[in-house]
Amino acid sequence: MKLTAGPPQGPLSSAQGPIGNDHIAGIFEEIANLLEIDDANPFRILAYRNAARTIRALTFEVAELIASGEPLPKLRGIGVDLAGKINEIVSSGDCALHQRLRSTLPPGLVGLLSIAGLGPKRVKQLYHDLGIESAQQLCRAAQQGRIRHLPGFGEKMEARLLRAAQKGIGRDRRLPLAFVEPLAHELIEYLRQIPGVEQATVAGSLRRMRDTVGDIDLLVAAAPSVDVTAHFIEHPEIATVLVKGPMRVSVLLTSGMQVDVRVVEPEVYGAALVYFTGSKAHNITIRQRAQKLGLKLSEYGLFRARQCLASSTEVAVYQALGLPWITPELREDRGEVAAALKGRLPRLIELSDLKGDLHAHTRASDGGNSLEEMAFAATAAGLEYLAITEHSRSLRVAHGLDIERLLEQIDQIDALNARLQGMTLLKGIEVDILEDGSLDLPDDILQRLDLVVGAVHSHFELPLRQQTQRILRAMDHRYFSILAHPLCRLINQREPLNMDLPAIIKAASQRGCAMELNAQPRRMDLFDLQCQYAKDEGVLISINSDAHRCADFAYLRHGVAQARRAWLEAGDVLNTRSLAQLKVFLRDGARERPGRA
Ligand code: DGT
Ligand code: CA
Ligand code: CA
């Protein structure tokens, strides 16, 4: 399957190369946040928010258009002033307003925005009323009980903020895998071009495809005579050199992300790769395995006394330990070594096993492409079916469909399916689960669809019992097929819902509902361990891109990686089914189980 389009790059991961739409939108969003903290005119704030949304949904790259000398077309919400800012960002990477805001507001305020539960409004209040500029000050004020008295805060919020702020302090924030990957791969390319470098690859959590990445680890094989680290620190993205020796260097990039580079001699590349891929827990377990065999394992090789038994490749190292090579996604010390010893490692799902995608949007709601464009892009991504699941009417910010517009789309899909070859569009909806657990559209409409994907988009703060009951009630609905992004977390923005997930998974199992592994970079929802738990409870997982644009089908690769980390095999995943099998699941499985209302 060919998936070439790259994931977005927010301003936090500014790589070299052309400025992407996501970069521009990210700057506009940050301007909106900063303006809001700055007490600016609400219409001005809204203008930047809307512009960011418009730019994210575009189907062409603005920078490419400008480079080709074309004028910007008229875009919703983008007038002369904003068009000027776009030009400025495309030519210089940033704009003066953004830089001015960042320099006039205390820099810590931007950091406060990343604490769960704190949006710009609350940050503004904390800053204006209590002079809080940093996470440390926030903690102190919370511990002194000063935050609860602010209007709209209260004791519970104070306690929650304290927990969130403490979590944020002392560890830099982790970024979504998909945001970090392009940057890491660019650094790898850069390293490979240094004369004398034989191999270079990512290691650490990035190679294990964790949903978030703390820092980037890169491993290089080169002869000792090559001064790799001196070359490396010349890279223009590097802001600070933290540690530098001939064989290792740690730097901070302009985005704040840390990169650790280790250089080893080619003979020990395999052993070093095992070591730096980790995880630490996996390393400890295989080191114990070595000890049991009377051997010693280090980053330089596997040794019996002074004799090196294996070091040049990973396969050789694992083999000398009596193990098959273990794929990096499994190296978390969750039983993979024991399973490998028994020859019981799973046959993990692969990207090419996916036959369809069951969650996608078009321009009809908040996507950026037409039905037809999405169908072609899904075909190009190697898929045979694609469910179109627009937002429903309650979600007004996303132009959710009302009954009339949904019926119109049903007709359009029927007409398009008659023309499409090798691709079937399924009629679906991402229906809002309302506060009381009812669905946002009536039964007689839902009945006409191939599948109903249900999701929470409001009232994220309900107490555990109420949130759980709400979702259980939604799943009781006879047409409910898949629970989308069950946790509703947004990495660095929103904590997972407070709910009884085991109860929900159990209910999904009893009712024949599937659960989603949403592969949007900021979602990656369910987590790996939760997917594994759901599978053990007999629930099928649907790995969905939640595509809003053609390029978003590229996210499926990350969804599959997370599924592999969950030990899932092709059979555990709903959308590896053929279209015919899928339809059986949707009709018989989902609709005729006991317990369905
Ligand atoms: P991250 O950066 O938090 O996303 O997670 P990792 O796994 O990339 O962790 P990192 O960058 O601290 O270290 C990279 C790898 O290096 C880690 O997965 C295993 C190895 N490693 C680092 N420190 C130790 C250690 O103290 N003991 C052992 N056995 N391995 C270590
Ligand atoms: Ca790392
Ligand atoms: Ca590291």
Side-chain angles (χ1 to χ4, degrees), residues 137-149 158 162:
Q137 290 172 345
L138 177 66
C139 281
R140 217 169 308 132
Q143 280 157 346
Q144 294 165 349
R146 289 192 288 137
I147 289 176
R148 64 185 68 173
H149 304 302
E158 182 180 73
L162 178 61

Side-chain angles (χ1 to χ4, degrees), residues 292-311:
K292 224 171 167 184
L293 300 173
L295 309 175
K296 189 168 170 289
L297 179 65
S298 76
E299 58 195 279
Y300 301 106
L302 181 65
F303 296 86
R304 173 173 289 124
R306 290 241 181 99
Q307 184 201 1
C308 179
L309 303 180
S311 67

